[in-house]
Amino acid sequence: MGIQFNDVSFAYRGLRVNYDAIGHINLTIEAKGEFIAIVGHTGSGKSTLVQHMNALLLPSSGTLNVFSQQLPPKKKEKINFLRQKVGLVFQFPEYQLFEETILKDIMFGPKNFKSTEEEAKEKAMKAAEVVGIDASLYEQSPFRISGGQMRRVAIAGILAMEPEILVLDEPTRGLDPKGRKDLMDMFKGIHENDNKTIIMITHDMDLVSEYAKRVIVLDQGHLVFDGTKEALFEHPAFESFHLDLPTPLKILKHLEKTAGIPYKPVYDYTSLLSYLKEVSHE
Ligand SMILES: Nc1ncnc2c1ncn2[C@@H]1O[C@H](COP(=O)(O)OP(=O)(O)OP(=O)(O)O)[C@@H](O)[C@H]1O
Ligand SMILES: [Mg+2]
């Protein structure tokens, strides 16, 4: 098993009052084969939740088990290895680039986790290939490429550490539609080729609907739904989650009301179009 939350709560400590960010979370995430979207309003605790997964934050109460390491650790154990096991890509990771060249930036993670120069280079080159950074860019400055490419370099830096689980905090934020699709298809490729578990925070319900298998919904720090996307979008209490429906489902609900076309759950545009073609031939 990969990650297990047992009744985890976390409060940010303030000067006068503490702020409860997540409360009583119970959750199990498999080490392989999952594609999970975490959704919920701004401030609902999504980023706080995922920062527990590699021990950047430790629970105020409750415990976690991450790749057999108990958190908070029992004694003064070293838990740094979890940063390698669970690779966390922050929002706007391109702001964290800092080396002189693209290749050096990608190599930073593996070198930090005790790879030799040669090994780090090999891992970095492999990761660069996965994210589509061409070898001709290796010796360039990471600050002289486009924003979308910078983000790829930053993601390659995490992939080069060869994490078991990849966690992405709003990876597509600020990208144009093509950049968004390219990046999502890349994550899908990593998920399918390596059967890697991917956990992605997003506000974009179209991405949830097209890519995720499982969805976790947070509302004011509480987990209010955990299940398949199919179960989420057909949930009788869907409105109480304060989420938007994905566009294909919105269109079909509208067409059912206005044109009498029978509603059918479809999760991406290709399926929507083929369904509409099908009913228009009937
Ligand atoms: N460092 C901090 N100190 C105090 N409070 C914080 C801190 N970081 C977050 N919070 C508060 O904790 C709550 C949860 O924040 P979090 O960033 O986890 O939400 P989120 O769901 O990721 O939001 P968003 O969608 O805007 O990224 C928010 O109310 C936020 O204001
Ligand atoms: Mg956040």
Side-chain angles (χ1 to χ4, degrees), residues 10-14 19-22 38-51 57 91 169-170 173 201-203 218 221:
F10 180 83
Y12 287 101
R13 291 186 185 284
Y19 187 88
D20 294 326
I22 53 171
I38 301 182
V39 300
H41 263 227
T42 177
S44 57
K46 304 179 295 296
S47 296
T48 305
L49 179 80
V50 300
Q51 286 173 55
L57 294 176
Q91 268 186 36
D169 196 343
E170 300 201 45
R173 191 151 177 184
I201 296 178
T202 183
H203 285 276
L218 290 186

Short mmCIF file of all heavy atoms in Angstrom, two decimals, residues 10-14 19-22 38-51 57 91 169-170 173 201-203 218 221, ligand 1:
data_model
loop_
_atom_site.label_atom_id
_atom_site.label_comp_id
_atom_site.label_asym_id
_atom_site.label_seq_id
_atom_site.Cartn_x
_atom_site.Cartn_y
_atom_site.Cartn_z
N PHE A 10 -5.11 18.80 10.54
CA PHE A 10 -3.96 19.71 10.57
C PHE A 10 -4.44 21.14 10.78
O PHE A 10 -5.37 21.60 10.13
CB PHE A 10 -3.17 19.64 9.25
CG PHE A 10 -1.99 20.58 9.25
CD1 PHE A 10 -0.79 20.20 9.84
CD2 PHE A 10 -2.10 21.85 8.70
CE1 PHE A 10 0.30 21.08 9.87
CE2 PHE A 10 -1.01 22.73 8.73
CZ PHE A 10 0.19 22.34 9.32
N ALA A 11 -3.79 21.82 11.70
CA ALA A 11 -4.09 23.24 11.94
C ALA A 11 -2.81 24.06 11.74
O ALA A 11 -1.75 23.69 12.23
CB ALA A 11 -4.61 23.43 13.36
N TYR A 12 -2.93 25.15 10.97
CA TYR A 12 -1.81 26.09 10.86
C TYR A 12 -1.76 26.88 12.16
O TYR A 12 -2.79 27.35 12.65
CB TYR A 12 -2.02 27.03 9.66
CG TYR A 12 -1.82 26.36 8.33
CD1 TYR A 12 -2.91 25.94 7.56
CD2 TYR A 12 -0.54 26.12 7.84
CE1 TYR A 12 -2.72 25.31 6.33
CE2 TYR A 12 -0.35 25.50 6.61
CZ TYR A 12 -1.44 25.10 5.87
OH TYR A 12 -1.25 24.47 4.66
N ARG A 13 -0.56 27.02 12.70
CA ARG A 13 -0.44 27.76 13.96
C ARG A 13 -0.36 29.25 13.70
O ARG A 13 0.49 29.71 12.95
CB ARG A 13 0.83 27.32 14.69
CG ARG A 13 0.71 25.92 15.20
CD ARG A 13 1.89 25.52 16.06
NE ARG A 13 1.76 24.13 16.41
CZ ARG A 13 0.92 23.67 17.34
NH1 ARG A 13 0.18 24.53 18.02
NH2 ARG A 13 0.81 22.39 17.58
N GLY A 14 -1.25 29.99 14.32
CA GLY A 14 -1.20 31.45 14.21
C GLY A 14 -0.70 32.03 15.52
O GLY A 14 -0.44 31.29 16.47
N TYR A 19 -5.49 27.74 12.84
CA TYR A 19 -6.48 27.64 11.78
C TYR A 19 -6.61 26.20 11.33
O TYR A 19 -5.66 25.62 10.79
CB TYR A 19 -6.09 28.55 10.61
CG TYR A 19 -7.18 28.59 9.59
CD1 TYR A 19 -8.21 29.52 9.69
CD2 TYR A 19 -7.23 27.65 8.56
CE1 TYR A 19 -9.25 29.51 8.78
CE2 TYR A 19 -8.26 27.64 7.65
CZ TYR A 19 -9.27 28.58 7.77
OH TYR A 19 -10.30 28.57 6.87
N ASP A 20 -7.79 25.61 11.56
CA ASP A 20 -8.00 24.21 11.17
C ASP A 20 -8.13 24.13 9.66
O ASP A 20 -9.10 24.63 9.09
CB ASP A 20 -9.29 23.67 11.80
CG ASP A 20 -9.17 23.60 13.32
OD1 ASP A 20 -8.05 23.32 13.79
OD2 ASP A 20 -10.17 23.83 14.00
N ALA A 21 -7.17 23.51 8.99
CA ALA A 21 -7.19 23.47 7.52
C ALA A 21 -7.80 22.18 6.99
O ALA A 21 -8.54 22.19 6.02
CB ALA A 21 -5.79 23.66 6.96
N ILE A 22 -7.46 21.03 7.63
CA ILE A 22 -8.15 19.78 7.27
C ILE A 22 -8.51 19.03 8.56
O ILE A 22 -7.82 19.16 9.57
CB ILE A 22 -7.29 18.85 6.35
CG1 ILE A 22 -5.90 18.57 6.91
CG2 ILE A 22 -7.19 19.41 4.94
CD1 ILE A 22 -5.12 17.50 6.15
N ILE A 38 -8.08 15.68 -7.02
CA ILE A 38 -8.55 16.25 -5.75
C ILE A 38 -9.16 17.61 -6.09
O ILE A 38 -8.50 18.46 -6.68
CB ILE A 38 -7.41 16.41 -4.73
CG1 ILE A 38 -6.77 15.04 -4.46
CG2 ILE A 38 -7.93 17.03 -3.44
CD1 ILE A 38 -5.66 15.06 -3.44
N VAL A 39 -10.44 17.77 -5.76
CA VAL A 39 -11.14 19.00 -6.12
C VAL A 39 -11.80 19.61 -4.89
O VAL A 39 -11.94 18.96 -3.85
CB VAL A 39 -12.20 18.75 -7.23
CG1 VAL A 39 -11.57 18.21 -8.49
CG2 VAL A 39 -13.29 17.79 -6.75
N GLY A 40 -12.23 20.84 -5.03
CA GLY A 40 -12.89 21.55 -3.93
C GLY A 40 -12.60 23.03 -4.04
O GLY A 40 -11.63 23.42 -4.68
N HIS A 41 -13.44 23.82 -3.39
CA HIS A 41 -13.30 25.28 -3.44
C HIS A 41 -11.93 25.74 -3.01
O HIS A 41 -11.23 25.04 -2.30
CB HIS A 41 -14.31 25.88 -2.46
CG HIS A 41 -15.54 26.32 -3.15
ND1 HIS A 41 -16.12 27.53 -2.94
CD2 HIS A 41 -16.29 25.69 -4.07
CE1 HIS A 41 -17.18 27.64 -3.69
NE2 HIS A 41 -17.32 26.53 -4.39
N THR A 42 -11.61 26.98 -3.39
CA THR A 42 -10.38 27.56 -2.91
C THR A 42 -10.42 27.63 -1.37
O THR A 42 -11.46 27.92 -0.79
CB THR A 42 -10.17 28.95 -3.56
OG1 THR A 42 -9.01 29.51 -3.04
CG2 THR A 42 -11.34 29.89 -3.32
N GLY A 43 -9.33 27.24 -0.75
CA GLY A 43 -9.27 27.24 0.71
C GLY A 43 -9.85 25.99 1.36
O GLY A 43 -9.93 25.90 2.58
N SER A 44 -10.23 24.98 0.53
CA SER A 44 -10.85 23.79 1.12
C SER A 44 -9.83 22.81 1.71
O SER A 44 -10.20 21.82 2.33
CB SER A 44 -11.73 23.08 0.08
OG SER A 44 -10.95 22.74 -1.06
N GLY A 45 -8.53 23.08 1.50
CA GLY A 45 -7.52 22.25 2.15
C GLY A 45 -6.78 21.30 1.23
O GLY A 45 -6.03 20.43 1.69
N LYS A 46 -6.92 21.47 -0.07
CA LYS A 46 -6.31 20.54 -1.03
C LYS A 46 -4.79 20.53 -0.93
O LYS A 46 -4.17 19.47 -0.85
CB LYS A 46 -6.74 20.90 -2.48
CG LYS A 46 -8.25 20.93 -2.68
CD LYS A 46 -8.64 21.32 -4.10
CE LYS A 46 -8.26 22.72 -4.52
NZ LYS A 46 -8.93 23.78 -3.74
N SER A 47 -4.20 21.74 -0.97
CA SER A 47 -2.74 21.81 -0.93
C SER A 47 -2.22 21.31 0.43
O SER A 47 -1.20 20.62 0.50
CB SER A 47 -2.24 23.23 -1.18
OG SER A 47 -2.60 23.63 -2.48
N THR A 48 -2.94 21.65 1.48
CA THR A 48 -2.56 21.18 2.81
C THR A 48 -2.57 19.65 2.85
O THR A 48 -1.64 19.02 3.37
CB THR A 48 -3.54 21.74 3.86
OG1 THR A 48 -3.58 23.16 3.75
CG2 THR A 48 -3.13 21.34 5.27
N LEU A 49 -3.61 19.07 2.28
CA LEU A 49 -3.73 17.61 2.28
C LEU A 49 -2.54 16.96 1.58
O LEU A 49 -1.89 16.06 2.14
CB LEU A 49 -5.03 17.20 1.57
CG LEU A 49 -5.29 15.70 1.48
CD1 LEU A 49 -5.84 15.18 2.80
CD2 LEU A 49 -6.27 15.36 0.36
N VAL A 50 -2.20 17.42 0.38
CA VAL A 50 -1.16 16.72 -0.37
C VAL A 50 0.23 16.95 0.24
O VAL A 50 1.11 16.10 0.09
CB VAL A 50 -1.13 17.06 -1.88
CG1 VAL A 50 -2.45 16.69 -2.54
CG2 VAL A 50 -0.77 18.50 -2.17
N GLN A 51 0.42 18.04 0.95
CA GLN A 51 1.74 18.26 1.57
C GLN A 51 2.00 17.30 2.72
O GLN A 51 3.13 17.20 3.19
CB GLN A 51 1.88 19.71 2.01
CG GLN A 51 2.09 20.64 0.82
CD GLN A 51 2.08 22.10 1.19
OE1 GLN A 51 2.82 22.54 2.05
NE2 GLN A 51 1.20 22.86 0.56
N LEU A 57 4.29 18.57 5.58
CA LEU A 57 3.53 18.92 6.78
C LEU A 57 3.29 17.63 7.56
O LEU A 57 3.09 16.57 6.97
CB LEU A 57 2.17 19.54 6.40
CG LEU A 57 2.20 20.90 5.68
CD1 LEU A 57 0.77 21.31 5.30
CD2 LEU A 57 2.84 21.98 6.56
N GLN A 91 2.40 24.31 -7.19
CA GLN A 91 1.82 25.26 -8.14
C GLN A 91 2.92 26.13 -8.70
O GLN A 91 3.80 26.55 -7.96
CB GLN A 91 0.85 26.18 -7.40
CG GLN A 91 -0.55 25.68 -7.40
CD GLN A 91 -1.50 26.69 -6.78
OE1 GLN A 91 -1.34 27.89 -6.93
NE2 GLN A 91 -2.49 26.18 -6.09
N ASP A 169 0.15 19.77 -7.89
CA ASP A 169 -0.76 20.78 -7.35
C ASP A 169 -1.09 21.78 -8.46
O ASP A 169 -0.27 22.63 -8.81
CB ASP A 169 -0.11 21.49 -6.15
CG ASP A 169 -1.12 22.26 -5.32
OD1 ASP A 169 -2.23 22.51 -5.84
OD2 ASP A 169 -0.81 22.60 -4.16
N GLU A 170 -2.27 21.64 -9.03
CA GLU A 170 -2.74 22.48 -10.13
C GLU A 170 -1.71 22.62 -11.26
O GLU A 170 -1.26 23.72 -11.57
CB GLU A 170 -3.14 23.86 -9.61
CG GLU A 170 -4.26 23.76 -8.58
CD GLU A 170 -5.02 25.05 -8.42
OE1 GLU A 170 -5.33 25.67 -9.44
OE2 GLU A 170 -5.28 25.43 -7.28
N ARG A 173 -2.49 25.08 -14.33
CA ARG A 173 -2.92 26.46 -14.08
C ARG A 173 -2.11 27.45 -14.92
O ARG A 173 -0.88 27.38 -14.97
CB ARG A 173 -2.71 26.79 -12.61
CG ARG A 173 -3.36 28.06 -12.23
CD ARG A 173 -3.73 27.97 -10.80
NE ARG A 173 -4.31 29.22 -10.36
CZ ARG A 173 -4.65 29.44 -9.12
NH1 ARG A 173 -4.44 28.52 -8.21
NH2 ARG A 173 -5.18 30.58 -8.78
N ILE A 201 -4.28 17.91 -8.13
CA ILE A 201 -5.26 18.91 -7.67
C ILE A 201 -5.65 19.75 -8.87
O ILE A 201 -4.78 20.15 -9.64
CB ILE A 201 -4.63 19.83 -6.60
CG1 ILE A 201 -4.26 19.04 -5.35
CG2 ILE A 201 -5.58 20.99 -6.26
CD1 ILE A 201 -3.60 19.88 -4.26
N THR A 202 -6.94 19.99 -9.02
CA THR A 202 -7.36 20.86 -10.13
C THR A 202 -8.70 21.51 -9.84
O THR A 202 -9.49 21.01 -9.02
CB THR A 202 -7.43 20.08 -11.47
OG1 THR A 202 -7.77 20.99 -12.51
CG2 THR A 202 -8.46 18.97 -11.44
N HIS A 203 -8.94 22.65 -10.51
CA HIS A 203 -10.26 23.28 -10.46
C HIS A 203 -11.01 23.02 -11.76
O HIS A 203 -12.13 23.47 -11.93
CB HIS A 203 -10.11 24.80 -10.27
CG HIS A 203 -9.72 25.18 -8.88
ND1 HIS A 203 -10.64 25.32 -7.86
CD2 HIS A 203 -8.53 25.40 -8.31
CE1 HIS A 203 -10.02 25.65 -6.74
NE2 HIS A 203 -8.73 25.70 -6.99
N LEU A 218 -12.98 17.82 -1.37
CA LEU A 218 -12.84 18.44 -0.06
C LEU A 218 -13.79 19.63 0.03
O LEU A 218 -13.99 20.36 -0.94
CB LEU A 218 -11.42 18.94 0.16
CG LEU A 218 -10.31 17.91 0.33
CD1 LEU A 218 -9.00 18.61 0.68
CD2 LEU A 218 -10.65 16.91 1.43
N GLY A 221 -12.17 21.67 4.46
CA GLY A 221 -11.24 20.80 5.20
C GLY A 221 -11.72 19.39 5.44
O GLY A 221 -11.01 18.57 6.02
N1 LIG B 1 0.74 28.92 5.86
C1 LIG B 1 -0.52 29.11 6.26
N2 LIG B 1 -0.82 29.74 7.42
C2 LIG B 1 -2.09 29.91 7.82
N3 LIG B 1 -3.16 29.47 7.14
C3 LIG B 1 -2.93 28.85 5.97
C4 LIG B 1 -1.60 28.63 5.46
N4 LIG B 1 -1.70 27.97 4.28
C5 LIG B 1 -3.02 27.80 4.06
N5 LIG B 1 -3.75 28.31 5.07
C6 LIG B 1 -5.23 28.27 5.19
O1 LIG B 1 -5.65 26.92 5.25
C7 LIG B 1 -6.82 26.71 4.45
C8 LIG B 1 -6.55 25.63 3.43
O2 LIG B 1 -5.57 26.11 2.53
P1 LIG B 1 -5.06 25.28 1.26
O3 LIG B 1 -3.99 26.08 0.65
O4 LIG B 1 -4.76 23.90 1.70
O5 LIG B 1 -6.38 25.30 0.35
P2 LIG B 1 -6.55 24.88 -1.17
O6 LIG B 1 -7.77 24.02 -1.24
O7 LIG B 1 -5.28 24.35 -1.71
O8 LIG B 1 -6.91 26.29 -1.87
P3 LIG B 1 -6.61 26.79 -3.37
O9 LIG B 1 -7.62 26.14 -4.26
O10 LIG B 1 -6.84 28.28 -3.27
O11 LIG B 1 -5.19 26.46 -3.70
C9 LIG B 1 -7.13 28.06 3.80
O12 LIG B 1 -8.17 28.67 4.51
C10 LIG B 1 -5.86 28.86 3.94
O13 LIG B 1 -6.13 30.22 4.09
#
